[in-house]
Short mmCIF file of all heavy atoms in Angstrom, two decimals:
data_model
loop_
_atom_site.label_atom_id
_atom_site.label_comp_id
_atom_site.label_asym_id
_atom_site.label_seq_id
_atom_site.Cartn_x
_atom_site.Cartn_y
_atom_site.Cartn_z
N PHE A 11 18.60 -11.68 9.68
CA PHE A 11 17.64 -11.86 10.77
C PHE A 11 18.28 -11.58 12.13
O PHE A 11 17.73 -10.84 12.94
CB PHE A 11 17.08 -13.29 10.73
CG PHE A 11 16.26 -13.67 11.94
CD1 PHE A 11 14.90 -13.43 11.97
CD2 PHE A 11 16.85 -14.28 13.04
CE1 PHE A 11 14.14 -13.78 13.07
CE2 PHE A 11 16.10 -14.63 14.15
CZ PHE A 11 14.73 -14.37 14.16
N GLU A 12 19.43 -12.18 12.37
CA GLU A 12 20.09 -12.02 13.67
C GLU A 12 20.44 -10.57 13.95
O GLU A 12 20.27 -10.09 15.07
CB GLU A 12 21.36 -12.89 13.76
CG GLU A 12 21.11 -14.34 14.05
CD GLU A 12 20.76 -15.15 12.79
OE1 GLU A 12 20.91 -14.64 11.67
OE2 GLU A 12 20.34 -16.30 12.95
N TYR A 13 20.92 -9.87 12.93
CA TYR A 13 21.30 -8.47 13.11
C TYR A 13 20.08 -7.61 13.43
O TYR A 13 20.11 -6.82 14.38
CB TYR A 13 22.02 -7.92 11.88
CG TYR A 13 23.27 -8.67 11.53
CD1 TYR A 13 23.49 -9.14 10.24
CD2 TYR A 13 24.25 -8.93 12.49
CE1 TYR A 13 24.64 -9.84 9.92
CE2 TYR A 13 25.41 -9.63 12.18
CZ TYR A 13 25.59 -10.08 10.88
OH TYR A 13 26.72 -10.78 10.57
N VAL A 14 19.04 -7.75 12.65
CA VAL A 14 17.85 -6.92 12.84
C VAL A 14 17.17 -7.25 14.16
O VAL A 14 16.86 -6.36 14.96
CB VAL A 14 16.88 -7.06 11.66
CG1 VAL A 14 15.58 -6.31 11.93
CG2 VAL A 14 17.51 -6.55 10.37
N ALA A 15 16.93 -8.53 14.41
CA ALA A 15 16.24 -8.93 15.64
C ALA A 15 17.04 -8.52 16.88
O ALA A 15 16.47 -7.98 17.85
CB ALA A 15 15.99 -10.44 15.64
N GLY A 16 18.34 -8.76 16.86
CA GLY A 16 19.18 -8.42 18.01
C GLY A 16 19.24 -6.94 18.29
O GLY A 16 19.11 -6.50 19.44
N GLU A 17 19.45 -6.15 17.26
CA GLU A 17 19.54 -4.70 17.45
C GLU A 17 18.21 -4.10 17.85
O GLU A 17 18.16 -3.17 18.66
CB GLU A 17 20.10 -4.02 16.20
CG GLU A 17 21.55 -4.35 15.93
CD GLU A 17 22.47 -4.02 17.10
OE1 GLU A 17 22.38 -2.89 17.64
OE2 GLU A 17 23.28 -4.87 17.48
N CYS A 18 17.13 -4.61 17.31
CA CYS A 18 15.81 -4.13 17.69
C CYS A 18 15.56 -4.40 19.17
O CYS A 18 15.16 -3.50 19.92
CB CYS A 18 14.75 -4.81 16.82
SG CYS A 18 13.06 -4.32 17.21
N THR A 19 15.80 -5.62 19.59
CA THR A 19 15.58 -6.01 20.97
C THR A 19 16.45 -5.18 21.93
O THR A 19 15.96 -4.62 22.91
CB THR A 19 15.89 -7.51 21.16
OG1 THR A 19 15.08 -8.25 20.25
CG2 THR A 19 15.64 -7.97 22.56
N LYS A 20 17.72 -5.11 21.62
CA LYS A 20 18.66 -4.37 22.47
C LYS A 20 18.31 -2.88 22.51
O LYS A 20 18.32 -2.26 23.58
CB LYS A 20 20.09 -4.57 21.94
CG LYS A 20 21.16 -3.91 22.78
CD LYS A 20 22.56 -4.31 22.36
CE LYS A 20 22.83 -3.91 20.93
NZ LYS A 20 24.21 -4.15 20.50
N GLY A 21 17.97 -2.33 21.37
CA GLY A 21 17.64 -0.91 21.29
C GLY A 21 16.40 -0.54 22.08
O GLY A 21 16.37 0.47 22.78
N ILE A 22 15.37 -1.37 21.99
CA ILE A 22 14.14 -1.10 22.73
C ILE A 22 14.40 -1.14 24.23
O ILE A 22 13.96 -0.25 24.97
CB ILE A 22 13.03 -2.10 22.33
CG1 ILE A 22 12.54 -1.78 20.91
CG2 ILE A 22 11.88 -2.09 23.32
CD1 ILE A 22 11.60 -2.81 20.32
N ALA A 23 15.13 -2.13 24.69
CA ALA A 23 15.45 -2.22 26.12
C ALA A 23 16.26 -1.01 26.58
O ALA A 23 16.00 -0.44 27.65
CB ALA A 23 16.21 -3.51 26.41
N GLN A 24 17.21 -0.59 25.77
CA GLN A 24 18.06 0.55 26.12
C GLN A 24 17.23 1.83 26.23
O GLN A 24 17.40 2.60 27.17
CB GLN A 24 19.15 0.71 25.07
CG GLN A 24 20.12 1.83 25.33
CD GLN A 24 21.20 1.90 24.27
OE1 GLN A 24 21.27 1.08 23.36
NE2 GLN A 24 22.04 2.90 24.37
N VAL A 25 16.33 2.05 25.28
CA VAL A 25 15.50 3.25 25.30
C VAL A 25 14.59 3.26 26.53
O VAL A 25 14.44 4.29 27.20
CB VAL A 25 14.66 3.36 24.01
CG1 VAL A 25 13.61 4.47 24.12
CG2 VAL A 25 15.55 3.60 22.80
N SER A 26 14.01 2.12 26.84
CA SER A 26 13.13 2.04 28.01
C SER A 26 13.88 2.39 29.29
O SER A 26 13.39 3.17 30.13
CB SER A 26 12.53 0.63 28.11
OG SER A 26 11.63 0.54 29.18
N MET A 27 15.05 1.83 29.45
CA MET A 27 15.84 2.10 30.66
C MET A 27 16.34 3.55 30.70
O MET A 27 16.32 4.18 31.75
CB MET A 27 17.03 1.13 30.73
CG MET A 27 16.62 -0.32 30.91
SD MET A 27 15.68 -0.60 32.43
CE MET A 27 16.95 -0.33 33.62
N GLU A 28 16.76 4.06 29.56
CA GLU A 28 17.31 5.41 29.50
C GLU A 28 16.26 6.47 29.82
O GLU A 28 16.55 7.47 30.46
CB GLU A 28 17.89 5.65 28.09
CG GLU A 28 18.45 7.03 27.85
CD GLU A 28 18.97 7.19 26.42
OE1 GLU A 28 19.37 6.19 25.80
OE2 GLU A 28 18.95 8.33 25.94
N HIS A 29 15.02 6.25 29.37
CA HIS A 29 13.99 7.27 29.50
C HIS A 29 12.95 6.95 30.58
O HIS A 29 12.08 7.78 30.85
CB HIS A 29 13.31 7.51 28.15
CG HIS A 29 14.23 8.12 27.15
ND1 HIS A 29 14.51 9.47 27.12
CD2 HIS A 29 14.99 7.57 26.18
CE1 HIS A 29 15.38 9.72 26.17
NE2 HIS A 29 15.70 8.58 25.58
N GLY A 30 13.03 5.77 31.16
CA GLY A 30 12.09 5.42 32.22
C GLY A 30 10.66 5.25 31.73
O GLY A 30 9.72 5.41 32.50
N VAL A 31 10.51 4.96 30.47
CA VAL A 31 9.20 4.73 29.89
C VAL A 31 9.09 3.25 29.54
O VAL A 31 9.95 2.72 28.84
CB VAL A 31 9.00 5.58 28.60
CG1 VAL A 31 7.67 5.25 27.92
CG2 VAL A 31 9.09 7.06 28.91
N PRO A 32 8.05 2.58 30.04
CA PRO A 32 7.92 1.17 29.67
C PRO A 32 7.64 1.02 28.18
O PRO A 32 6.83 1.75 27.62
CB PRO A 32 6.72 0.68 30.50
CG PRO A 32 6.00 1.90 30.94
CD PRO A 32 6.98 3.04 30.92
N ILE A 33 8.36 0.09 27.57
CA ILE A 33 8.13 -0.24 26.16
C ILE A 33 7.85 -1.73 26.12
O ILE A 33 8.72 -2.54 26.42
CB ILE A 33 9.35 0.10 25.28
CG1 ILE A 33 9.72 1.59 25.41
CG2 ILE A 33 9.04 -0.26 23.82
CD1 ILE A 33 10.97 1.98 24.65
N SER A 34 6.64 -2.07 25.76
CA SER A 34 6.30 -3.49 25.67
C SER A 34 6.74 -4.02 24.31
O SER A 34 6.62 -3.35 23.28
CB SER A 34 4.82 -3.74 25.94
OG SER A 34 4.02 -3.04 25.04
N PHE A 35 7.25 -5.23 24.34
CA PHE A 35 7.90 -5.83 23.17
C PHE A 35 6.91 -6.70 22.41
O PHE A 35 6.66 -7.84 22.78
CB PHE A 35 9.12 -6.64 23.62
CG PHE A 35 10.01 -7.07 22.49
CD1 PHE A 35 10.89 -6.17 21.92
CD2 PHE A 35 9.97 -8.36 22.00
CE1 PHE A 35 11.73 -6.55 20.89
CE2 PHE A 35 10.80 -8.75 20.96
CZ PHE A 35 11.67 -7.84 20.40
N GLY A 36 6.37 -6.16 21.35
CA GLY A 36 5.46 -6.90 20.49
C GLY A 36 6.07 -7.11 19.11
O GLY A 36 5.36 -7.07 18.11
N VAL A 37 7.38 -7.30 19.08
CA VAL A 37 8.07 -7.54 17.81
C VAL A 37 8.28 -9.04 17.68
O VAL A 37 9.00 -9.65 18.49
CB VAL A 37 9.42 -6.79 17.75
CG1 VAL A 37 10.13 -7.07 16.43
CG2 VAL A 37 9.20 -5.29 17.93
N LEU A 38 7.65 -9.62 16.69
CA LEU A 38 7.82 -11.05 16.46
C LEU A 38 9.21 -11.32 15.90
O LEU A 38 9.68 -10.60 15.01
CB LEU A 38 6.79 -11.56 15.45
CG LEU A 38 5.32 -11.41 15.81
CD1 LEU A 38 4.46 -11.95 14.67
CD2 LEU A 38 5.00 -12.10 17.11
N THR A 39 9.88 -12.32 16.42
CA THR A 39 11.15 -12.79 15.86
C THR A 39 10.96 -14.28 15.64
O THR A 39 11.04 -15.07 16.58
CB THR A 39 12.32 -12.49 16.82
OG1 THR A 39 12.03 -13.04 18.10
CG2 THR A 39 12.55 -11.00 16.96
N VAL A 40 10.65 -14.64 14.41
CA VAL A 40 10.21 -15.99 14.11
C VAL A 40 11.03 -16.62 12.99
O VAL A 40 11.69 -15.93 12.22
CB VAL A 40 8.71 -16.00 13.73
CG1 VAL A 40 7.85 -15.59 14.92
CG2 VAL A 40 8.43 -15.09 12.54
N ASP A 41 10.94 -17.94 12.92
CA ASP A 41 11.70 -18.69 11.91
C ASP A 41 10.99 -18.81 10.57
O ASP A 41 11.62 -19.13 9.57
CB ASP A 41 12.00 -20.10 12.43
CG ASP A 41 13.01 -20.08 13.57
OD1 ASP A 41 13.93 -19.24 13.53
OD2 ASP A 41 12.88 -20.90 14.49
N SER A 42 9.67 -18.58 10.55
CA SER A 42 8.94 -18.78 9.30
C SER A 42 7.71 -17.89 9.23
O SER A 42 7.23 -17.38 10.26
CB SER A 42 8.48 -20.24 9.20
OG SER A 42 7.51 -20.53 10.20
N ILE A 43 7.19 -17.73 8.04
CA ILE A 43 5.95 -16.98 7.84
C ILE A 43 4.82 -17.65 8.61
O ILE A 43 3.97 -16.98 9.21
CB ILE A 43 5.63 -16.86 6.34
CG1 ILE A 43 6.65 -15.93 5.67
CG2 ILE A 43 4.21 -16.36 6.12
CD1 ILE A 43 6.55 -15.88 4.17
N GLU A 44 4.81 -18.97 8.63
CA GLU A 44 3.76 -19.70 9.34
C GLU A 44 3.76 -19.35 10.83
O GLU A 44 2.70 -19.14 11.43
CB GLU A 44 3.92 -21.21 9.16
CG GLU A 44 3.68 -21.70 7.74
CD GLU A 44 4.85 -21.42 6.78
OE1 GLU A 44 5.99 -21.24 7.25
OE2 GLU A 44 4.59 -21.37 5.56
N GLN A 45 4.94 -19.29 11.44
CA GLN A 45 5.03 -18.90 12.85
C GLN A 45 4.54 -17.47 13.06
O GLN A 45 3.88 -17.17 14.05
CB GLN A 45 6.46 -19.03 13.36
CG GLN A 45 6.92 -20.45 13.57
CD GLN A 45 8.37 -20.52 14.05
OE1 GLN A 45 9.11 -19.53 14.01
NE2 GLN A 45 8.78 -21.70 14.49
N ALA A 46 4.87 -16.59 12.13
CA ALA A 46 4.42 -15.20 12.23
C ALA A 46 2.90 -15.12 12.19
O ALA A 46 2.28 -14.41 13.00
CB ALA A 46 5.03 -14.36 11.11
N VAL A 47 2.29 -15.86 11.29
CA VAL A 47 0.84 -15.87 11.17
C VAL A 47 0.21 -16.44 12.44
O VAL A 47 -0.78 -15.91 12.96
CB VAL A 47 0.39 -16.64 9.91
CG1 VAL A 47 -1.11 -16.88 9.90
CG2 VAL A 47 0.83 -15.90 8.65
N GLU A 48 0.78 -17.51 12.97
CA GLU A 48 0.27 -18.13 14.20
C GLU A 48 0.29 -17.15 15.36
O GLU A 48 -0.61 -17.17 16.21
CB GLU A 48 1.11 -19.36 14.58
CG GLU A 48 0.90 -20.55 13.69
CD GLU A 48 1.85 -21.69 14.01
OE1 GLU A 48 2.66 -21.57 14.96
OE2 GLU A 48 1.80 -22.70 13.29
N ARG A 49 1.30 -16.29 15.43
CA ARG A 49 1.46 -15.38 16.56
C ARG A 49 0.78 -14.04 16.36
O ARG A 49 0.83 -13.16 17.23
CB ARG A 49 2.95 -15.18 16.85
CG ARG A 49 3.58 -16.42 17.48
CD ARG A 49 5.08 -16.48 17.33
NE ARG A 49 5.65 -17.63 18.00
CZ ARG A 49 5.61 -18.88 17.54
NH1 ARG A 49 4.99 -19.14 16.40
NH2 ARG A 49 6.15 -19.88 18.21
N SER A 50 0.15 -13.86 15.22
CA SER A 50 -0.52 -12.58 14.95
C SER A 50 -2.04 -12.74 14.90
O SER A 50 -2.73 -11.97 14.26
CB SER A 50 -0.01 -11.97 13.65
OG SER A 50 -0.32 -12.81 12.55
N GLY A 51 -2.54 -13.76 15.58
CA GLY A 51 -3.98 -13.85 15.71
C GLY A 51 -4.59 -15.20 15.43
O GLY A 51 -5.81 -15.33 15.48
N THR A 52 -3.79 -16.22 15.17
CA THR A 52 -4.40 -17.53 14.95
C THR A 52 -4.11 -18.42 16.16
O THR A 52 -4.29 -17.99 17.28
CB THR A 52 -3.93 -18.17 13.62
OG1 THR A 52 -2.52 -18.37 13.64
CG2 THR A 52 -4.29 -17.30 12.42
N LYS A 53 -3.60 -19.61 15.95
CA LYS A 53 -3.55 -20.58 17.05
C LYS A 53 -2.58 -20.27 18.19
O LYS A 53 -2.71 -20.83 19.26
CB LYS A 53 -3.30 -21.99 16.52
CG LYS A 53 -1.99 -22.21 15.82
CD LYS A 53 -1.94 -23.63 15.30
CE LYS A 53 -0.72 -23.89 14.48
NZ LYS A 53 -0.70 -25.26 13.98
N ALA A 54 -1.64 -19.39 18.00
CA ALA A 54 -0.72 -19.02 19.09
C ALA A 54 -1.09 -17.69 19.71
O ALA A 54 -0.30 -17.09 20.42
CB ALA A 54 0.72 -19.00 18.57
N GLY A 55 -2.30 -17.22 19.47
CA GLY A 55 -2.75 -15.95 20.03
C GLY A 55 -2.27 -14.77 19.21
O GLY A 55 -1.82 -14.91 18.08
N ASN A 56 -2.40 -13.59 19.79
CA ASN A 56 -1.98 -12.37 19.12
C ASN A 56 -1.00 -11.65 20.04
O ASN A 56 -1.36 -11.18 21.12
CB ASN A 56 -3.19 -11.48 18.83
CG ASN A 56 -2.84 -10.25 18.02
OD1 ASN A 56 -1.91 -9.53 18.34
ND2 ASN A 56 -3.60 -10.01 16.97
N LYS A 57 0.25 -11.59 19.63
CA LYS A 57 1.30 -10.98 20.46
C LYS A 57 1.11 -9.47 20.58
O LYS A 57 1.64 -8.86 21.51
CB LYS A 57 2.69 -11.32 19.91
CG LYS A 57 2.97 -12.83 19.87
CD LYS A 57 2.76 -13.50 21.21
CE LYS A 57 2.97 -14.99 21.13
NZ LYS A 57 2.59 -15.69 22.34
N GLY A 58 0.34 -8.86 19.69
CA GLY A 58 0.00 -7.45 19.84
C GLY A 58 -0.90 -7.24 21.03
O GLY A 58 -0.74 -6.28 21.80
#
């Protein structure tokens, strides 16, 4: 989890800065399936 989430986050920021194109971060990094479901359209809204 730490490797994938960290590299994804760092890579997206690097690409945005390098190319001057805004990249909005809609990648969930969560501790459980329940948190993922909550953030994809239920009680915690939809991060997309």
Side-chain angles (χ1 to χ4, degrees):
F11 170 89
E12 281 83 10
Y13 301 129
V14 174
E17 292 303 312
C18 179
T19 304
K20 183 171 61 174
I22 288 171
Q24 182 178 356
V25 170
S26 183
M27 295 299 291
E28 178 181 332
H29 293 279
V31 175
I33 303 176
S34 58
F35 191 78
V37 179
L38 300 179
T39 54
V40 295
D41 290 324
S42 67
I43 291 172
E44 293 77 22
Q45 287 179 348
V47 170
E48 288 174 2
R49 287 159 177 77
S50 63
T52 61
K53 63 183 175 180
N56 185 311
K57 300 306 177 188

